[in-house]
Every structure is written in C-alpha cells, then in structure tokens.
Amino acid sequence: MIHSLFLVNASGDIFLEKHWKSVVSRSVCDYFFEAQERATEPENVPPVIPTPHHYLISVLRHRIYFVAVIQSEVPPLFVIEFLHRVVDTFQDYFGVCTEAAIKDNVVVVYELLEEMLDNGFPLATESNILKELIKPPTILRTMVNTITGSTNVGEQLPTGQLSVVPWRRTGVKYTNNEAYFDVVEEIDAIIDKSGSTITAEIQGVIDACVKLTGMPDLTLSFMNPRLLDDVSFHPCVRFKRWEAERILSFIPPDGNFRLLSYHVSSQNLVAIPVYVKHNITFREGSSQGRFDLTLGPKQTMGKAVESVLVSSQLPRGVLNANLNPSQGTYTFDPVTKLLSWDVGKINPQKLPSLKGTMSLQAGASKPDENPTINIQFKIQQMAISGLKVNRLDMYGEKYKPFKGIKYMTKAGKFQRCVWIAGSDRYYTNRASLIIVTS
Amino acid sequence: MLESSKESLKLEAMKRIVGDPNQFIRASALRVLSSIRVPIIVPIMMLAIKEAAADLSPYVRKTSAHAIQKLFSLDADQKEQLIEVIEKLLKDKSTLVAGSVVMAFEEVCPDRIDLIHKNYRKLCNLLVDVEEWGQVVIISMLTRYARTQFTSPWKEGAMFDENNEKAFYESDSEEKKGHTEEKPYIMDPDHRLLLRNTKPLLQSRNTAVVMSVAQLYWHLAPKHEVSIVTKSLVRLLRSHREVQYIVLQNIATMSIQRKGMFEPFMKSFYVRSTDATHIKTLKLEILTNLANEANISTILREFQTYVKSQDKAFAAATIQAIGRCATNISEVTDTCLNGLVLLLSNRDETVVAESVVVIKKLLQTQPTQHSEIIKHMAKLFDNITVPMARASILWLIGEYCERVPKIAPDVLRKMAKSFTAEEDIVKLQTVNLAAKLYLTNSKQTKLLTQYILNLGKYDQNYDIRDRTRFIRQLIVPSEKSGALNKYARRILLAPKPAPVLESSFKDRDRFQLGTLSHSLNSKATGYQELSDWPAVAPDQSVRNVEIIEASGSDSEEESSESEKTSSDSGKSSSGSEQSSSESELEQKKKKKTKKVPQKKSKPTAADRYSEIPAVCWSLRASFFFPVTTSSFGPVKTYELLHHMTGKGLAAKYHFPRQPCLYQPSMVAVQVILSNSSDHSLEEIHIGDRSPASLSIHCFNTIERLEPEASVTVSMGIDFSDSTQAANFQLCTKEDQFSVSIQPAVGELLMPSSMTEQDFCKEQGKLQGMNETSATITMETANASSQAISKQVLSVANVGVVSSSQNNFSRFAGRTVSSGALVLVSLELKESSTALLTINTEKTVMASMLLRDIKQALTQA
C-alpha cells in the first residue's frame, strides 16, 4: 500500500524520508515539485498526482507537505486519512507539528512511523497504543536516555492491542479523576448582498479530555438529542445504544480525543449572532473610494461576542487604504491587498466601525471585483444550536469523578455578498464572514 | 562478515519467533526477519510464517499475515504455499487478524474468490469490530465478491436511467405489477447481511471507511437504498481539503446518474472564496450536474457571483458551466446567452475569451435568431487578443456569413492585414473564413481570398501550408481539381451538428468509486475490475458453514489465548477488563456445551441469521454473547406489570443470562415495556425501591413511548444471592406502579469453567455441611446425558464440565454477588434413578436449587 513517505517543507526541500518497502529514489518527488510550481497557491496542488511508475498522494498541514508514494491501486482516501492521522500523532507527541519539532525529535518520528505502518499497511494508529509502545519525549526522559543509553520503545505488547477496547490502555491511575467535555460549534454561512442568508449550517464537535482511573463506562445524555442530524463517532461509542436511546455510552480512551462530530440540519434555522453593515463604493473617474463597515451583535442570548477579526481581500486596483477604526487596530498590506481589522470584543452600546477612504491607481477604471469579508469571532458559554448536555454518569468504577462541560461557538466559513453602488447587475461581490462561537 | 552477521540475525530471529514467551518479541522478530530482503532467506521465512500463523497470540498471527505480502513480493514462486497459509488465516476469528489477512489475500491471490465463500458470513459479522483500516480493505474485497455471487438488485433497464425520477419513486408500485409476470427478485440473505452490517460504519470517524461503505452501497444496494449514504458523504465535505477533493470527485460521478440523491444538499456545494481552485471546479461540476428546471434560477444566481471571482481560472470554468446549463435546460438558454453577451464587455480577457467560446457553442444549437450577437462579437473582435476567442469569432462569422453579409468581408479584410502576426489557430480559421466567403460572396472577396491563400502558402507552419493547399484546390476551379470542386460548397458549408456539452465525469463510472483509478480517470496498476452481476446466482450453499467446526478447536485455542493475555499484561488489569475476559471464557464454554442440541436439526439459513447479532457496534465482545442466549431455546419471560393494572403500560422481564454490564455483582435483567393504551406514555423510569439498600442499575428514563410501541431496556439488580424479591416502583409521568422481580435461584448463578480434576478437587473441599444430595427417579426421556444437560441448564445458569465418565454429569457455577462456587453433579444409577449432589457454601441456595433441578428432571 504505502510505499514511502517524503516530508517537504514550504521552500521545497525534502527534509525527511521513510521507506517501508524498497527504497524509492527522491527524484520521484520531481513530479510533485512540478505540480507545485504550476499551482499558484500552496493549497492548489492536486492531492493525487500520477507519475510513470508511482502515484503520489499528498496532504498539506502546517505548511509541510506529506507526500506518500503508492505503487498500485489503493483507495486514495485510505492514504489521505492515514497521513492526517500521522500529523495528528506528531501533534499529540510534540505539541506542534513543525519542521523544527520533527527535526528535534527525529528518532521518535522514525520510531512512530515504523510502528504505525508495517509493510505499508497501518498497524497501530491509536494514540493510546502508540504511547505505550513509544513514550512521548520529555526533558527528563531524554536526559535519562542519553545517560543510560536506553530508548523510548516499550518492550511489552500494548495491552490495548489485544483487548476488546483497543483504544484504552489498562492500568490507568490518576489521583484526581476528571472528565472534561468541550462542545464546540461552528457556523458556516453565506449571506448575500442584501443581508439575507443563502446558506447557514452548524457543525459541531465534542472534544473530550478524560483522565479517569481504571475502566470507567460513561454515558452522556443530551437534553435535546433530536437536534443532531448526522453524527460520526469515535469507535468507542456504542452505536446501538445511540440508535435506540440517543445516549452516548462508551468506555473512553485515556486522554484527549474527539468523541463526536455532528451536523445540525438546516431545518432548525440558524440564528446568526453577528451582522455587518457595509458600504464600499468606487466612483468612476475618481481615484478615491469610500469604505464603511459596521459590526453589531444579534441574538447572542446576552453572551459577549469576542475575538472578532475581520479580514477582507480588496480589489487589485486599490493602492492604499486610509481608515479609521472606532476600536481595535487594522492593517492593510498593499502587496496582497489584504485588509485585516482586529476588533476584539463587541460592545453592544457602542458598535465598532471602520470608516475611511481607499486610494486607487490613478487613471485605472473602477474595479469590478468586490472585496470579500471574513469575520471570525468566538462566543463563550453558548452553543449556537442550543444543544445541551443533560448528564454524565459513570459506571464500573467506585470513585466520584470531577466533571466539566464547556460550550463554545466559533465562526466557520461565513460569506457575504456585497453590492457595490453604481455597478451594473454583474458587479456583485462575495464577502465571506466567518463567525466563531464557543 | 556481512553474510555471517545476517546468518546470526536470521538464527536469532528464528529462535525468537518459535521460543520467546513474550508475544510482542515473537511478533517483532517475525517483522525483522521478513523485512530482510534477501532471496536466500526465503525458505526460512516461509517456515517462520507457517509457525507464526499457528501462534496462539492473534497479534503474532496478524504479523504473519503482513509477512506473507513481504515474502510474496520477494519471491512470487512461493504463491501456492502462501495461499495455503492465507486460507488458514482466513478462518481465524480474531478481529485483529481479519483486516491483515484480507490485505494479504488481495495482494497475493485476489482471484481466488473460492477461499472467501466459507468465511463470508464471518467476515460480515466481524466487520464492525475490525480496526478501521482493515474495514476499508475488507469492504472493498466484499464488494467485488458480492458482484460475482449475487444477482442484480436493480430492475432491468433501470440501471442507468436515474434522471427519470418518477420511475425511481414509483418503483414500489411498479415492482408489484411487474412481478406478477416476471420471476420476482428476492435478495439473497447473504447479500442483505452485507448491506445491513456495513450500514453502521457510515457513522465512522474514518473518512476512508465512510467512502468505502458509500461505494459498496452504490455498487451493490437496490437503487432506492443508495440514498442513505448521501448525508454521510456530505458530512465528509467538512473534513480536510484533500478529503473534500476525493469525495467531491465521487459525488460528481454519482450526481450524473442520480440527481435526486444530492439535490436536497445543493447548498452544501456552494463555492466559498476560501476553497482551493480544484475544489471550486469540482463543486461547480456538481452544481451543474444537479441543475434542473426547478433550481436553475438559484444556481444561475449563484454562478453570477462566481463569474466575478478573482480566481480567473475559476471564473472561466463558471462560464463553461453556464454554457452547459443553457444547453441542458432549454428554458434558460436565452437568459444564459444574454448574460454571456454582457460578459463580453468584461474587462478581463480570460472571461471574455471563455464567453466567446461558450457563446459559439450555444449559437450553434440555434443560430437562426442570433445575428445580432454575431454582429456584436464582430465589433468586439478588435479588442480581443486571446487566440481561442478570436478563432471562435472567425469561425462563427464564417459559418453564418450569409446572415452578416456586410460585416463578414470587412472582418476578412482586417484579417488579411494582420494575418502574419496571428497565432496558428487564428490563421487556420482565417483561411476557413476566406474559403467560405469565396464560395458565398466571391465578388467582394475573391482578391482578398487569393491574398490570404498566398500568405498561407509560405507560412512557417506546415499545418497552415497544408490547409491552404487543400482549400485552394477545393475552391479555385482548375483542370486538375475535377469533381471535388463541384461539391466545395456542400463540403464547407454543410450543416454541422451542435456540440454536446458534457460533464467530464460522464465516463468515470467505468471505474469503481473510491478507487485511485476513479480519481485519476485512468486505470492504475493493480486495479481490479468490478465484474457485472451474474445472470444466475452461483450456488449459495457454498457459504454455508458447519457450525460445529466453527466452535471446535479454534475456540479452545482462543480461550487459552485470552488467559495468556491477562497473564502477559502482568499488571492485574482492572475489574471490568478482567471480568470481560473471564466472561468470554465462560461464554465459550457455554457455547461448546450448547452445540449439542443444535447439531440435531440441521439449521436453515434463516435460523443462522437469527443467532447472528444484527449489528453490534455497541459491545466489542458482543459477538460472543448472543450466540449463547439464543441457543438456550425460548427464554422464560415473566410478567412484571399487566397492562390492566398499569393503565396501559405493560412490562415483562426475562434473564438474558449475560454478565451484567454495569457491575459484575449484578444480575442482568431485560425488561420489555410496551404501551397498549391509546396515548403515548412519557418519562418512564424507576422510582423508589425496597428494601432501600437494594442496589439496582436503572435504565435511563424513556422520554416517550408511543401507543403500540415497545422498547426493551436492560437493568442490573444485585440480589445479594438471595431469592428475595426486588421491589421497586415503575413510574410514568402520571402514575407509579409497584412491581417486583423474584428471581429463580438458578438465575443467581453464572457459569464457571473448570476441568474435571478441578471440579473434583473443589468438590472435595466442600463436604459435610456444604453438601446436599438426593436420590431422584428420572423420566426415561431424560436419561441421556444430553437431555440432562438441557434440563439442568434450563433451570440454572451453570456451565457444563466435560466428563470422562459416561454416568456422571457435572455442572459448575458461581453465585453472581459473592462468587461462591456451586457444584452440581449427577450420578446415573441403574433403572433411571440418579444421585443428585450439590456442593456449595450457600446451603440455602443448595436446597432450593436441588428442588428445582429435581423437579425439572423428574417432570420433563
């Protein structure tokens, strides 16, 4: 299946390679570099590239390309999913997945890659199992290893590999037993120029951090499980129980994991917590344009809208912008034409606004592209869909755990069409407004 | 030096594979040995693989499955021997091994479909419990298998006629009609099993698994069932960019054949400014595929914003898409055309050029009323520099030169001036235009044409020289040219069919969805064609498995295995872990004993399905449980609450004889609640209990029970090894009903497995006070040891101890709460009398149990 893996950094250097079968020459990546050159943006590199003898499947995460070399037919998603799992594992082990972190931990990286694949077929990808096999690096352990010459590699088969709950290691002990659940929701919306919603949907996840002794059996129930339209589970969740009773029943893995991701159907009309008033005009013949943007909160149930960040890609004809924010700071990059405005918290009494003029290239005609506006924000203590966790119970263990649930809403992809005054009916713009609630 | 070190490494590895007590070391040794890619090592590798394939540890067996592929790539001559090993490993019942061995099968002998027959049902049932990567491989293998073994669930002729939605929705009624004449289609139960067992995997977090289930449904399910995958596929669009790309490609192929499937989700395919270009193009493709009369206005409005995109490649693709919508849906052709003409005044060249090309194609479909547009384009001609667009305009003017008699010669005049500076493609069209004008309007254009032909004759490009020569011979009469000359007009001005604007995904359906080949639209190395459905299904009995064989030596092997696991892990694992491994043992034991009655009646296929748990995502170990319960025959059900006293709420309970999930000291009880009233009951839950100390694990509150509906819930009760009834209140929103569960003494036990020796040893310890015995006279029908087992097991939840003496039957169990041993032995004497002895510390239980068993054996 997966023959080799090359890690390529942003400047196009291969800084790590790993072969599970025979060695494939680095020159195979030339085809990848070719495709990379052809693509204008780093994201535009096609994920699947055929070459005369191999196929290259790549993913881009944290500005590193993970390029897998395939020799024969295999479902491409299989490889892509695996590569993402590799990145997740690195992130889990080193905190970040950057070139520097990988280079610093090159021994652990190779150990991990060796255990994750055997002859190109995934062997151990559960974080709990891997951590028993290969201990995550800590300063103390690195020092001890350097002095004693021992390694991070465990000598016993991880208990999870054989048990009926492979995601959980046995013999877990904590003095403080805690279980935290974060309900994080993202709104995706496209809003047209007149302010009406074209599409809006909510995607949510429940991330858990469970540190419980022994083999706890948890059940999590919701006040309103019918909200959840489509769900996907961590393998630990008992599907039958969900089907019959709409209760999440599971023996959790140890540590951090994503319990559930869900989708809230569009039938439950999504209230968008932020509105934007905009007035962006260019006049034919003049080298000036007016820019006026005001933000305001809407239906937030009294919760503050925080960390608001507005960004907009202005038309190419704009030379500079001279704007005046009522709060926060703004920057305009004359090269990329990217305007970003860090608003901070929205005060409903005094709505934040950004007003001023844009100077255009002298003699250039009125730009016909409209700027896109992305808005990001967070709302703490609120799940925009109204999803509420009813209760969390634990069975199988005697102690009383500490339980905590946090709600948060975030902006996903939120877009807005902007009408530019004075343009004909083709001159509509799409702006994207990204709303984050937590 | 190198040789000798290899040699010693080899020996060391071999020694470890065979001998090391730690399974992890055995597996690692095999991995090391099989990774040495040297041909001399082949025989020893073969030996090691065979050794490891019979290892007690499933982890080592998994490693051996991986080693098979390595050896095969090293030396393909070993194929026959390797197939033998694969065949053996395919029989393995461990979920750990299943994925890896199917992978090896796919690599080594994908055509040996006969090896799968016997394992097909097992693989289907294990599927949900296999690790996710294995699931992908098994599902794609089973898709291919099913395509060769089952008949098509699709109606004749309905195969690719999915745009016809009426037929789709009316298929039920049609089927009824059609079937009176034709032979009705009945889905093979094995086919249904596969579909049913893969469905829950749509909820997997692994996108590859979801995609492979989707393709399985696409290729195998009846047409009306395929749409259940839609939601899950749309969900995947939230995932990483690369995942989106692959999923969108597959949706694009699906949406050509089945618009209805994705139409409700149209808005999910709206393009966002932050998407990568190839994602945008794919979304555009899908939106175009989904367009129909009803939604075209929405889609076109959306397209209008895309045209303005700063990403010019994408804007150009949008214009193409508008063109496709215009040809496919005749209602909007005019609207689209007007819109495209407006785009001709766009400042961006690529947009204009693309519009010209698309307009050209559109005009061809209905040229009559559009001379205005052609004139407009001729005016724009001077400002357009993109060669493709210029060429398109020239072709249009040439083709319809009779509609624009004044403009055409003028354009030709301009072209004659700039001919030498043009691109090749424009030059070719200029020559074409000249030829067409020469034929229709030779008075005005004769000289111009000759001039252009002369220029072309000396052009640097041989294509243009060639074309010029050809045109000259064709249109200019001379002695040599002869007959062809007469037909020049008919050749050049023949009515041309309008181009069909088609999706680029039209022909992708020849590849299996989700494959690399599909993604690349060309056959990848090692791609396995999906065969067509067979006209007649091959013999389905090949998949029948002797049940006896299934539980035979293997289960013994595995039970010793799990013992090994728990001892291997060293650290005494926590409560539930241990109890689960123990319960596994017991279940196995029970299964073995229970095989006896099953053997008598050869089970039909339907019987077998009833034993197989439909879907057990829930409990990893669950595939062990249901087999045992159902083999007990009818479970005794007791009434908990009659619907008359319960104001419509009725409850029954029975003991499933499974280890309780919630706490090991509890007895599992299943309660079936049903609503026989005419209104729905709300908030059914358990209220006060007595004695207050009674520990009950309640079921979760049932929010709502509709009339005529029933629900099965499980609860656990700790009876503390006494037959005292557990009293509690069953409450609804309005009422409370006191109910009580009184267990038979036999239900307070759980089976315990032990050997005959252990049994005798334990029995020796429990003499005197702890022994209760009675002589009984048995019904003759009960005299055989099988019948005895059956009767005893119907009364008490104990395990059979295999006995070497014929006249002895022994059973062992433990009390659920305190875990005290309960040993039952029955010695057959002459003339159907027998000595029944019970040894246990719990003397009260002993006497009650004695009474129950005696009753069961004497009555029959």
Side-chain angles (χ1 to χ4, degrees), chain B residues 229-517:
Chain B
V229 306
T230 314
K231 235 184 217 178
S232 308
L233 284 180
V234 172
R235 186 187 70 228
L236 297 190
L237 296 181
R238 284 282 303 169
S239 195
H240 299 285
R241 190 176 52 88
E242 297 84 6
V243 175
Q244 283 184 34
Y245 175 71
I246 303 289
V247 173
L248 284 172
Q249 279 187 329
N250 285 295
I251 292 180
T253 304
M254 290 165 130
S255 63
I256 291 175
Q257 287 178 31
R258 305 282 306 270
K259 275 186 197 196
M261 234 171 114
F262 292 98
E263 219 193 305
F265 296 90
M266 197 175 78
K267 288 188 173 173
S268 306
F269 303 110
Y270 280 5
V271 174
R272 298 169 193 285
S273 57
T274 41
D275 287 335
T277 308
H278 50 258
I279 305 266
K280 287 182 188 164
T281 326
L282 280 168
K283 283 187 171 174
L284 200 60
E285 175 72 38
I286 294 169
L287 284 176
T288 317
N289 289 341
L290 293 181
N292 59 22
E293 286 86 354
N295 59 25
I296 183 68
S297 57
T298 331
I299 289 183
L300 279 182
R301 209 175 312 135
E302 191 63 22
F303 280 178
Q304 279 181 16
T305 59
Y306 299 166
V307 171
K308 291 281 122 193
S309 164
Q310 302 195 4
D311 184 346
K312 289 306 158 200
F314 173 59
T318 308
I319 294 168
Q320 290 277 6
I322 295 176
R324 259 179 63 202
C325 289
T327 43
N328 294 344
I329 301 159
S330 50
E331 282 91 335
V332 293
T333 312
D334 286 340
T335 330
C336 290
L337 206 51
N338 289 337
L340 289 171
V341 170
L342 281 175
L343 281 181
L344 290 177
S345 48
N346 195 293
R347 255 193 303 277
D348 190 89
E349 205 161 70
T350 28
V351 172
V352 178
E354 203 64 39
S355 313
V356 170
V357 175
V358 173
I359 289 173
K360 177 201 134 192
K361 289 180 182 165
L362 282 183
L363 286 187
Q364 254 182 293
T365 57
Q366 32 172 212
T368 39
Q369 61 276 61
H370 294 303
S371 51
E372 277 309 308
I373 294 174
I374 299 176
K375 275 180 203 156
H376 182 67
M377 284 166 78
K379 268 181 219 154
L380 283 173
F381 187 71
D382 293 339
N383 300 327
I384 293 174
T385 54
V386 177
M388 190 60 209
R390 286 176 77 87
S392 294
I393 296 180
L394 287 178
W395 184 89
L396 265 182
I397 293 173
E399 190 65 23
Y400 306 111
C401 51
E402 280 160 340
R403 290 179 206 285
V404 282
K406 283 189 185 140
I407 294 169
D410 191 50
V411 171
L412 187 66
R413 180 186 60 80
K414 283 185 200 157
M415 283 315 296
K417 265 206 262 178
S418 62
F419 187 82
T420 46
E422 295 291 346
E423 287 279 327
D424 292 345
I425 185 170
V426 185
K427 285 179 183 169
L428 285 175
Q429 287 308 328
T430 314
V431 174
N432 265 358
L433 173 67
K436 284 173 186 167
L437 281 176
Y438 183 84
L439 292 174
T440 52
N441 186 4
S442 58
K443 204 171 85 193
Q444 267 186 305
T445 59
K446 190 171 181 185
L447 285 174
L448 273 173
T449 308
Q450 270 169 1
Y451 176 65
I452 286 169
L453 289 179
N454 279 335
L455 282 177
K457 192 174 171 185
Y458 299 107
D459 199 271
Q460 283 187 326
N461 187 303
Y462 51 76
D463 271 343
I464 294 167
R465 293 201 300 276
D466 188 54
R467 174 75 60 91
T468 319
R469 197 167 302 136
F470 161 69
I471 294 286
R472 189 189 289 277
Q473 292 300 320
L474 193 62
I475 58 172
V476 184
S478 67
E479 311 89 63
K480 271 188 257 169
S481 57
L484 212 54
N485 200 316
K486 283 179 223 153
Y487 301 105
R489 196 185 170 85
R490 278 166 71 185
I491 292 170
L492 282 173
L493 292 172
K496 294 162 185 84
V500 186
L501 299 178
E502 265 187 343
S503 161
S504 56
F505 281 80
K506 189 85 184 166
D507 58 343
R508 289 219 182 176
D509 54 7
R510 62 201 159 112
F511 295 112
Q512 190 176 348
L513 289 186
T515 59
L516 186 61
S517 308

Side-chain angles (χ1 to χ4, degrees), chain B residues 708-750:
Chain B
E708 303 302 324
S710 68
V711 59
T712 306
V713 292
S714 49
M715 47 194 289
I717 303 177
D718 189 351
F719 289 104
S720 320
D721 293 345
S722 82
T723 51
Q724 201 186 1
N727 300 309
F728 54 91
Q729 284 185 322
L730 198 58
C731 311
T732 62
K733 201 173 181 183
E734 293 94 17
D735 299 291
Q736 300 182 337
F737 312 104
S738 297
V739 293
S740 73
I741 292 182
Q742 177 150 38
V745 65
E747 304 296 347
L748 300 177
L749 303 177
M750 56 185 186

